[in-house]
Amino acid sequence: MISSSDKFEYRFTCPLPNGLHARPANLLEQVVSGFGCNVVLENLSNNRVANAHSVLSLVGADVKEGDECILRLDGPDSEAAYKVLVKFIINELPSCDEKLPEVVCAAGDVYIPPVLQAAQAEYYLGTSVVAGLARGRVVHVQALALPDNLSSQLADEPQKEIELVGQAFAQLENEIALRLTSPLLTRMEKDILTAQQAIATDKEFRQKVVSLIAEQAISAGVAVMQAYEHFCDILRSARSELIKERVYDLQDISAQLLIHLYGSQPQAKVVLTAPSVCVADNITPSQFMSLDKSMVSAIVLAHGSSTSHTVILARSCGIPTLVGVKEACSCLKSGQDVIIDANNGLLIHKVNDKVERYFRSEQAMRAAREEYYSAFVDKDAQTIDGLPMLVSANIARAEEVAIAVAKGADSIGLFRTEMLFMDRDKAPAVEQQFEQYHEAVKAAGGRPVTIRTFDIGGDKNVSYLNLASEENPFLGYRGVRIYQQFNDMFRDQLTAILRASAYGPVKIMIPMVTCFEEVLWVRQTLDQVKLTLDNDHVAYDRNIRLGINVEVPAVGFIIPQLAGIIDFISLGTNDLTQYFTAVDRGNKQVSSLYQSEHPGFLKFIKYIVEQAHKSNLIVSMCGEMAGQLANLPILLGTGIDDLSVSIPSVLPIKAAVSGASASECSLLLDELVGLKSAIDVKERVVAFNNRPSDKSAVDVALVDLKADCVNKPEVIRHVCNMLAGDNRTGDAVELEKDFWRREAVYSTGLGFGIAVPHCKTSSVNCNSICVLKLKQAVEWESIDNMPVDVIIAMTIKDVEQAGNLHMKIFSRLARHIMHEKFRESLRTIESAQEIVEFLHEKLEIN
Amino acid sequence: MKFIAVTACPTGIAHTYMAAENLEKTAKELGHTIKVETQGAMGIENELSAEDISGADALILAADIMIENGERFDNIPKIEVPVQLALKDPKSIFAKKPC
């Protein structure tokens, strides 16, 4: 620190993996905005200087990870500002950013499925940023272009122009503020609107516009355009893509300003009337938000990258998206029928019969997968040896309940209520909260809803509570620890929850419990609130269940003592792991030690579940660990009663539970807790998950006696899809590649109209034999040059050891195929069941 | 004639065994005796012993990959063919002159 009376300097190295882009810059600007002093940030790596009162200016400093920077403070309150800023940079800045979303499939790294190659599909390549397959008519979305006819306008009365632009800024600000209050906004839309708000209210941007008018006597519109160009130049020259992309937000804001200034839309609103593939050079976030999403099949951009705001929005809506498709704007005609294969980064612009077949079969596959999962929507999950497992959903808003139920959730295992308390001036009233809880309970249709009382403090702060900032917020004043101080707020929440309990089963869960007295106090408070409701003759569930979130390790050791005053516990594994391993997982230097698979941690959760069950308490888990398919055997091994996971994980977890054996998992866990380290645990679990399944190699699901394939690539794809459909492979694409690697050596066409495609692969979980009879013979480069109409496909799991008896069936099969009688029998049998029986007999499968 | 043979193909799943079966079948038809060792995904099966080798007139080596323990056959006349020939035209293999 260098200081003289009211001048301060602070030097730091940028800790952000993605640099100082819009979101962290926004946070920094918010801290600075609390003070009147000048705050300047200088990036020593490129000598750019930024006004820290402006997000645009900060972003324009192009600060990357590792850049040395100096903050210079100058002015009356700079000492106070200095203290707060330093604290912010040390404590909060490093953990305020998230990992960037990943690209599904980058251009240049393309796999053109052999079926599409054979179909002679004509396509353009792009980078897939949201996976999926879609079809629709091309609709060109005009870029939100700024008008170019403003260039010559001089202003007669600059002062009037300044007033006009001031009004336009105010209108835009109000408009964004208004849009932000919409209850229909998703979290993602809200974040992005907030980022746009930061630009619309940016001091430097506004100052630039005003000073351009004053100095050059130009019209407000021209000034907006020039200010836009000025900041674009700065942003475009940034090294970080993330920063360059903010040009589109700036363009968005500038165009909206012009609308407010001149009242005309720069371009007509896009109205979609049929499933559409929206094509543009770039679509701004506000354009995206105005599109009718039910009509958007896919998005194709000539520019843009995986981190642009529009792409983030498309991802949150699950709309397949390709970026970097150079030909998109120039080569596609409006109304043209196109297929977007965003699993492989392809835009197929000419749809012929074979491409059409590919599209249909892929869609059928997806439909089959959905149908397979849908069987679990109304079914209780149970392991093959009869252990029932509830699979519930974690939500944060009442609207999500209906979705969770539709996606198979048995109950709501965690309704986080913090969001109701955030982004407001004061705590929500009982009535407001009741509406939310009531809506959730109604939508749950008799399924229990576990409402966790507000977990505020730590990283989730609420301005109106005026909680002091702490050295160590995660070990500080948060969760139940603040309830006595904010007793009224807590009672209001309990009142709202109790009232909702009159309409369906509700449970109350208390966060961040450390000791018995806290729970006792909550229990007594709950009883008092009940009494008040009794006196007011308000209905509620008298037997409402009370439980705790186990996040603090200490409480995990007093479960039997708590049993008399609680009904259930729920393991919050994110915080529990953090406290158990003493690791802040946002801190890159130690995050590798954040290990939910640590043998000690596994022993701990095993112990907690045992203790809880001895005390007749229900145990659930609501942390991230619960939704990780790879870790499911561990959790099944503990005998836990309920897994509460994010909505999209519900059905996959239910399906996986139904295929697992609780007793095997229990033995596995006994073994895991004795291992040395998390690495060993992960390895062992991977081996367990990949263990050969005991499915028979032959099954009616693997026989298709009327296969509709017109060429060799379609046959191989069909075989892979059959194996995927019977859950024998989790990666049909890799499996397909393995088949083709073998075909590349020499064709597996044997003559006699038979082909035996095969591979040894890590992409299957069991050895399999598929039998197909084709409706029409296809070319296979056979040794007798004749087409084939019988396919016997063999896949062997690559971990199989030589000499394994399971494999004997393959050599038997291979030898049988050499005999005409065997081949004739295969050809004459007319039902899948008989094929299976025939192979069982011939291959001596028991 | 008295033949011995070794079959081996790239993945060792199908062609190794199909070739073995075809060689055995064809030898029988042609009135030869044959013992075929397979080197496939199952490892070495029906392994040729030193006596098998010393008592044979020729070795048919139907392999697309380097076989294991090839040095056993240093001193025996060989007919070397691609595996596929054992499927396509096995009779022609027996008509070849060992060298």
Side-chain angles (χ1 to χ4, degrees), chain A residues 278-319:
Chain A
C278 294
V279 173
D281 185 57
N282 203 300
I283 295 177
T284 66
S286 62
Q287 277 180 307
F288 180 88
M289 287 187 225
S290 72
L291 292 172
D292 174 3
K293 256 66 96 204
S294 67
M295 288 291 178
V296 181
S297 311
I299 303 259
V300 175
L301 304 177
H303 289 95
S305 80
S306 67
T307 52
S308 79
H309 281 160
T310 300
V311 170
I312 290 170
L313 287 170
R315 186 177 290 118
S316 73
C317 299
I319 298 174

mmCIF file of all heavy atoms in Angstrom, chain A residues 278-319:
data_model
loop_
_atom_site.group_PDB
_atom_site.id
_atom_site.type_symbol
_atom_site.label_atom_id
_atom_site.label_comp_id
_atom_site.label_asym_id
_atom_site.label_seq_id
_atom_site.Cartn_x
_atom_site.Cartn_y
_atom_site.Cartn_z
ATOM 1 N N CYS A 278 -33.446 -20.542 -36.897
ATOM 2 C CA CYS A 278 -33.148 -19.114 -36.963
ATOM 3 C C CYS A 278 -31.685 -18.918 -37.310
ATOM 4 O O CYS A 278 -30.798 -19.396 -36.608
ATOM 5 C CB CYS A 278 -33.480 -18.430 -35.649
ATOM 6 S SG CYS A 278 -35.243 -18.453 -35.332
ATOM 7 N N VAL A 279 -31.452 -18.240 -38.424
ATOM 8 C CA VAL A 279 -30.109 -18.070 -38.952
ATOM 9 C C VAL A 279 -29.761 -16.589 -38.914
ATOM 10 O O VAL A 279 -30.581 -15.754 -39.295
ATOM 11 C CB VAL A 279 -30.058 -18.591 -40.411
ATOM 12 C CG1 VAL A 279 -28.717 -18.281 -41.038
ATOM 13 C CG2 VAL A 279 -30.341 -20.084 -40.445
ATOM 14 N N ALA A 280 -28.574 -16.285 -38.436
ATOM 15 C CA ALA A 280 -28.167 -14.877 -38.395
ATOM 16 C C ALA A 280 -26.664 -14.800 -38.282
ATOM 17 O O ALA A 280 -25.993 -15.775 -37.943
ATOM 18 C CB ALA A 280 -28.809 -14.176 -37.198
ATOM 19 N N ASP A 281 -26.158 -13.625 -38.584
ATOM 20 C CA ASP A 281 -24.754 -13.379 -38.320
ATOM 21 C C ASP A 281 -24.567 -13.479 -36.817
ATOM 22 O O ASP A 281 -23.715 -14.183 -36.322
ATOM 23 C CB ASP A 281 -24.379 -11.996 -38.829
ATOM 24 C CG ASP A 281 -22.904 -11.745 -38.682
ATOM 25 O OD1 ASP A 281 -22.135 -12.541 -39.235
ATOM 26 O OD2 ASP A 281 -22.530 -10.786 -37.985
ATOM 27 N N ASN A 282 -25.410 -12.757 -36.122
ATOM 28 C CA ASN A 282 -25.472 -12.900 -34.676
ATOM 29 C C ASN A 282 -26.838 -12.448 -34.211
ATOM 30 O O ASN A 282 -27.425 -11.565 -34.795
ATOM 31 C CB ASN A 282 -24.389 -12.061 -33.999
ATOM 32 C CG ASN A 282 -24.098 -12.630 -32.631
ATOM 33 O OD1 ASN A 282 -24.989 -12.706 -31.789
ATOM 34 N ND2 ASN A 282 -22.889 -13.063 -32.414
ATOM 35 N N ILE A 283 -27.346 -13.080 -33.188
ATOM 36 C CA ILE A 283 -28.629 -12.677 -32.621
ATOM 37 C C ILE A 283 -28.332 -12.059 -31.266
ATOM 38 O O ILE A 283 -27.595 -12.660 -30.474
ATOM 39 C CB ILE A 283 -29.558 -13.904 -32.470
ATOM 40 C CG1 ILE A 283 -29.908 -14.471 -33.838
ATOM 41 C CG2 ILE A 283 -30.830 -13.535 -31.714
ATOM 42 C CD1 ILE A 283 -30.758 -15.736 -33.799
ATOM 43 N N THR A 284 -28.860 -10.879 -31.015
ATOM 44 C CA THR A 284 -28.584 -10.265 -29.709
ATOM 45 C C THR A 284 -29.490 -10.912 -28.662
ATOM 46 O O THR A 284 -30.536 -11.474 -28.996
ATOM 47 C CB THR A 284 -28.837 -8.747 -29.725
ATOM 48 O OG1 THR A 284 -30.228 -8.537 -29.919
ATOM 49 C CG2 THR A 284 -28.052 -8.056 -30.824
ATOM 50 N N PRO A 285 -29.097 -10.803 -27.397
ATOM 51 C CA PRO A 285 -29.914 -11.418 -26.343
ATOM 52 C C PRO A 285 -31.355 -10.920 -26.363
ATOM 53 O O PRO A 285 -32.283 -11.705 -26.193
ATOM 54 C CB PRO A 285 -29.207 -10.994 -25.057
ATOM 55 C CG PRO A 285 -27.790 -10.786 -25.457
ATOM 56 C CD PRO A 285 -27.845 -10.242 -26.855
ATOM 57 N N SER A 286 -31.566 -9.611 -26.602
ATOM 58 C CA SER A 286 -32.953 -9.143 -26.551
ATOM 59 C C SER A 286 -33.738 -9.676 -27.745
ATOM 60 O O SER A 286 -34.930 -9.942 -27.634
ATOM 61 C CB SER A 286 -33.037 -7.619 -26.457
ATOM 62 O OG SER A 286 -32.474 -7.034 -27.583
ATOM 63 N N GLN A 287 -33.050 -9.850 -28.882
ATOM 64 C CA GLN A 287 -33.736 -10.480 -30.015
ATOM 65 C C GLN A 287 -34.138 -11.907 -29.661
ATOM 66 O O GLN A 287 -35.237 -12.351 -29.947
ATOM 67 C CB GLN A 287 -32.812 -10.529 -31.243
ATOM 68 C CG GLN A 287 -32.779 -9.247 -32.041
ATOM 69 C CD GLN A 287 -31.846 -9.388 -33.236
ATOM 70 O OE1 GLN A 287 -30.688 -9.769 -33.080
ATOM 71 N NE2 GLN A 287 -32.348 -9.086 -34.408
ATOM 72 N N PHE A 288 -33.207 -12.624 -29.041
ATOM 73 C CA PHE A 288 -33.497 -14.013 -28.679
ATOM 74 C C PHE A 288 -34.697 -14.079 -27.754
ATOM 75 O O PHE A 288 -35.596 -14.886 -27.932
ATOM 76 C CB PHE A 288 -32.282 -14.672 -28.022
ATOM 77 C CG PHE A 288 -32.534 -16.100 -27.628
ATOM 78 C CD1 PHE A 288 -32.320 -17.132 -28.528
ATOM 79 C CD2 PHE A 288 -33.044 -16.403 -26.374
ATOM 80 C CE1 PHE A 288 -32.602 -18.441 -28.180
ATOM 81 C CE2 PHE A 288 -33.322 -17.709 -26.013
ATOM 82 C CZ PHE A 288 -33.088 -18.733 -26.922
ATOM 83 N N MET A 289 -34.702 -13.187 -26.756
ATOM 84 C CA MET A 289 -35.791 -13.241 -25.776
ATOM 85 C C MET A 289 -37.130 -12.942 -26.434
ATOM 86 O O MET A 289 -38.164 -13.383 -25.951
ATOM 87 C CB MET A 289 -35.513 -12.273 -24.629
ATOM 88 C CG MET A 289 -34.403 -12.759 -23.690
ATOM 89 S SD MET A 289 -34.261 -11.689 -22.248
ATOM 90 C CE MET A 289 -32.502 -11.478 -22.145
ATOM 91 N N SER A 290 -37.105 -12.182 -27.547
ATOM 92 C CA SER A 290 -38.380 -11.832 -28.176
ATOM 93 C C SER A 290 -38.880 -12.930 -29.128
ATOM 94 O O SER A 290 -39.988 -12.859 -29.615
ATOM 95 C CB SER A 290 -38.242 -10.506 -28.934
ATOM 96 O OG SER A 290 -37.472 -10.718 -30.101
ATOM 97 N N LEU A 291 -38.059 -13.936 -29.397
ATOM 98 C CA LEU A 291 -38.497 -15.007 -30.299
ATOM 99 C C LEU A 291 -39.472 -15.948 -29.590
ATOM 100 O O LEU A 291 -39.352 -16.180 -28.390
ATOM 101 C CB LEU A 291 -37.288 -15.836 -30.770
ATOM 102 C CG LEU A 291 -36.273 -15.151 -31.694
ATOM 103 C CD1 LEU A 291 -35.065 -16.059 -31.889
ATOM 104 C CD2 LEU A 291 -36.910 -14.805 -33.034
ATOM 105 N N ASP A 292 -40.409 -16.496 -30.353
ATOM 106 C CA ASP A 292 -41.340 -17.474 -29.814
ATOM 107 C C ASP A 292 -40.603 -18.820 -29.745
ATOM 108 O O ASP A 292 -40.450 -19.505 -30.747
ATOM 109 C CB ASP A 292 -42.563 -17.568 -30.736
ATOM 110 C CG ASP A 292 -43.504 -18.682 -30.301
ATOM 111 O OD1 ASP A 292 -43.234 -19.331 -29.261
ATOM 112 O OD2 ASP A 292 -44.499 -18.906 -31.011
ATOM 113 N N LYS A 293 -40.136 -19.138 -28.522
ATOM 114 C CA LYS A 293 -39.249 -20.307 -28.372
ATOM 115 C C LYS A 293 -39.914 -21.613 -28.811
ATOM 116 O O LYS A 293 -39.225 -22.563 -29.187
ATOM 117 C CB LYS A 293 -38.752 -20.412 -26.922
ATOM 118 C CG LYS A 293 -37.314 -19.974 -26.717
ATOM 119 C CD LYS A 293 -37.059 -18.509 -26.948
ATOM 120 C CE LYS A 293 -37.093 -17.728 -25.653
ATOM 121 N NZ LYS A 293 -37.417 -16.322 -25.897
ATOM 122 N N SER A 294 -41.237 -21.664 -28.748
ATOM 123 C CA SER A 294 -41.894 -22.925 -29.118
ATOM 124 C C SER A 294 -41.747 -23.185 -30.614
ATOM 125 O O SER A 294 -41.970 -24.285 -31.092
ATOM 126 C CB SER A 294 -43.371 -22.878 -28.737
ATOM 127 O OG SER A 294 -44.039 -21.929 -29.538
ATOM 128 N N MET A 295 -41.370 -22.151 -31.353
ATOM 129 C CA MET A 295 -41.210 -22.292 -32.805
ATOM 130 C C MET A 295 -39.739 -22.344 -33.228
ATOM 131 O O MET A 295 -39.442 -22.443 -34.410
ATOM 132 C CB MET A 295 -41.878 -21.105 -33.513
ATOM 133 C CG MET A 295 -43.386 -21.156 -33.471
ATOM 134 S SD MET A 295 -43.994 -22.509 -34.478
ATOM 135 C CE MET A 295 -45.740 -22.376 -34.187
ATOM 136 N N VAL A 296 -38.850 -22.205 -32.282
ATOM 137 C CA VAL A 296 -37.427 -22.207 -32.642
ATOM 138 C C VAL A 296 -36.889 -23.640 -32.536
ATOM 139 O O VAL A 296 -36.756 -24.182 -31.439
ATOM 140 C CB VAL A 296 -36.608 -21.265 -31.725
ATOM 141 C CG1 VAL A 296 -35.139 -21.266 -32.144
ATOM 142 C CG2 VAL A 296 -37.169 -19.854 -31.759
ATOM 143 N N SER A 297 -36.608 -24.266 -33.675
ATOM 144 C CA SER A 297 -36.068 -25.627 -33.651
ATOM 145 C C SER A 297 -34.583 -25.604 -33.363
ATOM 146 O O SER A 297 -34.059 -26.480 -32.685
ATOM 147 C CB SER A 297 -36.250 -26.313 -35.007
ATOM 148 O OG SER A 297 -37.542 -26.172 -35.455
ATOM 149 N N ALA A 298 -33.918 -24.610 -33.952
ATOM 150 C CA ALA A 298 -32.467 -24.539 -33.790
ATOM 151 C C ALA A 298 -32.005 -23.124 -34.079
ATOM 152 O O ALA A 298 -32.737 -22.339 -34.678
ATOM 153 C CB ALA A 298 -31.772 -25.511 -34.741
ATOM 154 N N ILE A 299 -30.787 -22.829 -33.624
ATOM 155 C CA ILE A 299 -30.180 -21.520 -33.883
ATOM 156 C C ILE A 299 -28.876 -21.773 -34.628
ATOM 157 O O ILE A 299 -28.104 -22.656 -34.235
ATOM 158 C CB ILE A 299 -29.864 -20.792 -32.561
ATOM 159 C CG1 ILE A 299 -31.127 -20.630 -31.719
ATOM 160 C CG2 ILE A 299 -29.146 -19.480 -32.816
ATOM 161 C CD1 ILE A 299 -31.788 -19.312 -31.743
ATOM 162 N N VAL A 300 -28.657 -21.006 -35.668
ATOM 163 C CA VAL A 300 -27.399 -21.124 -36.417
ATOM 164 C C VAL A 300 -26.815 -19.728 -36.572
ATOM 165 O O VAL A 300 -27.483 -18.827 -37.094
ATOM 166 C CB VAL A 300 -27.645 -21.734 -37.813
ATOM 167 C CG1 VAL A 300 -26.354 -21.731 -38.620
ATOM 168 C CG2 VAL A 300 -28.180 -23.152 -37.677
ATOM 169 N N LEU A 301 -25.606 -19.551 -36.079
ATOM 170 C CA LEU A 301 -24.972 -18.236 -36.157
ATOM 171 C C LEU A 301 -23.687 -18.322 -36.960
ATOM 172 O O LEU A 301 -22.937 -19.295 -36.844
ATOM 173 C CB LEU A 301 -24.653 -17.718 -34.748
ATOM 174 C CG LEU A 301 -25.835 -17.643 -33.764
ATOM 175 C CD1 LEU A 301 -25.351 -17.185 -32.399
ATOM 176 C CD2 LEU A 301 -26.902 -16.698 -34.285
ATOM 177 N N ALA A 302 -23.467 -17.302 -37.765
ATOM 178 C CA ALA A 302 -22.220 -17.264 -38.523
ATOM 179 C C ALA A 302 -21.061 -16.925 -37.584
ATOM 180 O O ALA A 302 -19.941 -17.374 -37.774
ATOM 181 C CB ALA A 302 -22.318 -16.234 -39.641
ATOM 182 N N HIS A 303 -21.368 -16.131 -36.576
ATOM 183 C CA HIS A 303 -20.343 -15.781 -35.588
ATOM 184 C C HIS A 303 -20.780 -16.280 -34.217
ATOM 185 O O HIS A 303 -21.628 -17.132 -34.107
ATOM 186 C CB HIS A 303 -20.110 -14.275 -35.590
ATOM 187 C CG HIS A 303 -19.409 -13.819 -36.819
ATOM 188 N ND1 HIS A 303 -20.090 -13.352 -37.910
ATOM 189 C CD2 HIS A 303 -18.095 -13.819 -37.142
ATOM 190 C CE1 HIS A 303 -19.227 -13.057 -38.870
ATOM 191 N NE2 HIS A 303 -18.011 -13.333 -38.435
ATOM 192 N N GLY A 304 -20.207 -15.665 -33.207
ATOM 193 C CA GLY A 304 -20.617 -16.025 -31.849
ATOM 194 C C GLY A 304 -19.821 -17.211 -31.355
ATOM 195 O O GLY A 304 -19.197 -17.942 -32.128
ATOM 196 N N SER A 305 -19.819 -17.390 -30.048
ATOM 197 C CA SER A 305 -19.093 -18.519 -29.483
ATOM 198 C C SER A 305 -19.880 -19.086 -28.324
ATOM 199 O O SER A 305 -20.974 -18.612 -28.025
ATOM 200 C CB SER A 305 -17.702 -18.082 -29.028
ATOM 201 O OG SER A 305 -17.811 -17.455 -27.786
ATOM 202 N N SER A 306 -19.316 -20.085 -27.703
ATOM 203 C CA SER A 306 -20.068 -20.819 -26.682
ATOM 204 C C SER A 306 -20.417 -19.952 -25.481
ATOM 205 O O SER A 306 -21.243 -20.325 -24.680
ATOM 206 C CB SER A 306 -19.261 -22.021 -26.233
ATOM 207 O OG SER A 306 -18.112 -21.585 -25.564
ATOM 208 N N THR A 307 -19.786 -18.779 -25.363
ATOM 209 C CA THR A 307 -20.022 -17.990 -24.157
ATOM 210 C C THR A 307 -20.857 -16.744 -24.402
ATOM 211 O O THR A 307 -21.043 -15.955 -23.496
ATOM 212 C CB THR A 307 -18.682 -17.574 -23.539
ATOM 213 O OG1 THR A 307 -17.901 -16.950 -24.561
ATOM 214 C CG2 THR A 307 -17.939 -18.759 -22.986
ATOM 215 N N SER A 308 -21.349 -16.541 -25.638
ATOM 216 C CA SER A 308 -22.143 -15.336 -25.849
ATOM 217 C C SER A 308 -23.456 -15.473 -25.091
ATOM 218 O O SER A 308 -23.935 -16.584 -24.855
ATOM 219 C CB SER A 308 -22.396 -15.106 -27.336
ATOM 220 O OG SER A 308 -23.429 -15.940 -27.784
ATOM 221 N N HIS A 309 -24.032 -14.345 -24.740
ATOM 222 C CA HIS A 309 -25.255 -14.383 -23.937
ATOM 223 C C HIS A 309 -26.389 -15.105 -24.647
ATOM 224 O O HIS A 309 -27.167 -15.818 -24.035
ATOM 225 C CB HIS A 309 -25.667 -12.958 -23.558
ATOM 226 C CG HIS A 309 -24.866 -12.428 -22.412
ATOM 227 N ND1 HIS A 309 -24.732 -11.100 -22.119
ATOM 228 C CD2 HIS A 309 -24.134 -13.080 -21.491
ATOM 229 C CE1 HIS A 309 -23.963 -10.955 -21.064
ATOM 230 N NE2 HIS A 309 -23.577 -12.149 -20.661
ATOM 231 N N THR A 310 -26.459 -14.930 -25.969
ATOM 232 C CA THR A 310 -27.520 -15.609 -26.710
ATOM 233 C C THR A 310 -27.351 -17.127 -26.618
ATOM 234 O O THR A 310 -28.319 -17.858 -26.433
ATOM 235 C CB THR A 310 -27.492 -15.158 -28.190
ATOM 236 O OG1 THR A 310 -27.693 -13.744 -28.208
ATOM 237 C CG2 THR A 310 -28.567 -15.842 -28.995
ATOM 238 N N VAL A 311 -26.114 -17.581 -26.708
ATOM 239 C CA VAL A 311 -25.871 -19.023 -26.627
ATOM 240 C C VAL A 311 -26.195 -19.548 -25.228
ATOM 241 O O VAL A 311 -26.776 -20.620 -25.066
ATOM 242 C CB VAL A 311 -24.415 -19.347 -27.025
ATOM 243 C CG1 VAL A 311 -24.089 -20.793 -26.714
ATOM 244 C CG2 VAL A 311 -24.210 -19.065 -28.508
ATOM 245 N N ILE A 312 -25.860 -18.754 -24.225
ATOM 246 C CA ILE A 312 -26.179 -19.174 -22.854
ATOM 247 C C ILE A 312 -27.693 -19.332 -22.695
ATOM 248 O O ILE A 312 -28.185 -20.298 -22.104
ATOM 249 C CB ILE A 312 -25.595 -18.159 -21.840
ATOM 250 C CG1 ILE A 312 -24.066 -18.274 -21.842
ATOM 251 C CG2 ILE A 312 -26.152 -18.394 -20.440
ATOM 252 C CD1 ILE A 312 -23.360 -17.183 -21.069
ATOM 253 N N LEU A 313 -28.439 -18.393 -23.289
ATOM 254 C CA LEU A 313 -29.904 -18.479 -23.231
ATOM 255 C C LEU A 313 -30.409 -19.699 -23.998
ATOM 256 O O LEU A 313 -31.293 -20.408 -23.535
ATOM 257 C CB LEU A 313 -30.536 -17.215 -23.812
ATOM 258 C CG LEU A 313 -30.423 -15.957 -22.953
ATOM 259 C CD1 LEU A 313 -30.861 -14.736 -23.741
ATOM 260 C CD2 LEU A 313 -31.264 -16.104 -21.694
ATOM 261 N N ALA A 314 -29.844 -19.918 -25.184
ATOM 262 C CA ALA A 314 -30.278 -21.060 -25.998
ATOM 263 C C ALA A 314 -30.025 -22.357 -25.228
ATOM 264 O O ALA A 314 -30.840 -23.271 -25.233
ATOM 265 C CB ALA A 314 -29.531 -21.075 -27.333
ATOM 266 N N ARG A 315 -28.890 -22.413 -24.534
ATOM 267 C CA ARG A 315 -28.557 -23.609 -23.766
ATOM 268 C C ARG A 315 -29.589 -23.820 -22.666
ATOM 269 O O ARG A 315 -30.046 -24.939 -22.439
ATOM 270 C CB ARG A 315 -27.151 -23.464 -23.179
ATOM 271 C CG ARG A 315 -26.648 -24.724 -22.486
ATOM 272 C CD ARG A 315 -25.221 -24.545 -21.992
ATOM 273 N NE ARG A 315 -24.268 -24.484 -23.078
ATOM 274 C CZ ARG A 315 -23.502 -23.427 -23.343
ATOM 275 N NH1 ARG A 315 -23.559 -22.349 -22.586
ATOM 276 N NH2 ARG A 315 -22.671 -23.456 -24.359
ATOM 277 N N SER A 316 -29.983 -22.720 -22.009
ATOM 278 C CA SER A 316 -30.934 -22.878 -20.902
ATOM 279 C C SER A 316 -32.296 -23.320 -21.430
ATOM 280 O O SER A 316 -33.080 -23.895 -20.688
ATOM 281 C CB SER A 316 -31.038 -21.589 -20.085
ATOM 282 O OG SER A 316 -31.752 -20.620 -20.811
ATOM 283 N N CYS A 317 -32.586 -23.040 -22.712
ATOM 284 C CA CYS A 317 -33.852 -23.499 -23.290
ATOM 285 C C CYS A 317 -33.696 -24.844 -23.990
ATOM 286 O O CYS A 317 -34.665 -25.362 -24.544
ATOM 287 C CB CYS A 317 -34.374 -22.497 -24.318
ATOM 288 S SG CYS A 317 -34.705 -20.877 -23.666
ATOM 289 N N GLY A 318 -32.478 -25.373 -24.052
ATOM 290 C CA GLY A 318 -32.249 -26.656 -24.715
ATOM 291 C C GLY A 318 -32.434 -26.593 -26.226
ATOM 292 O O GLY A 318 -32.823 -27.573 -26.854
ATOM 293 N N ILE A 319 -32.171 -25.447 -26.830
ATOM 294 C CA ILE A 319 -32.329 -25.326 -28.282
ATOM 295 C C ILE A 319 -30.998 -25.636 -28.971
ATOM 296 O O ILE A 319 -29.996 -24.970 -28.716
ATOM 297 C CB ILE A 319 -32.793 -23.893 -28.659
ATOM 298 C CG1 ILE A 319 -34.159 -23.616 -28.025
ATOM 299 C CG2 ILE A 319 -32.838 -23.723 -30.171
ATOM 300 C CD1 ILE A 319 -34.639 -22.205 -28.215
#
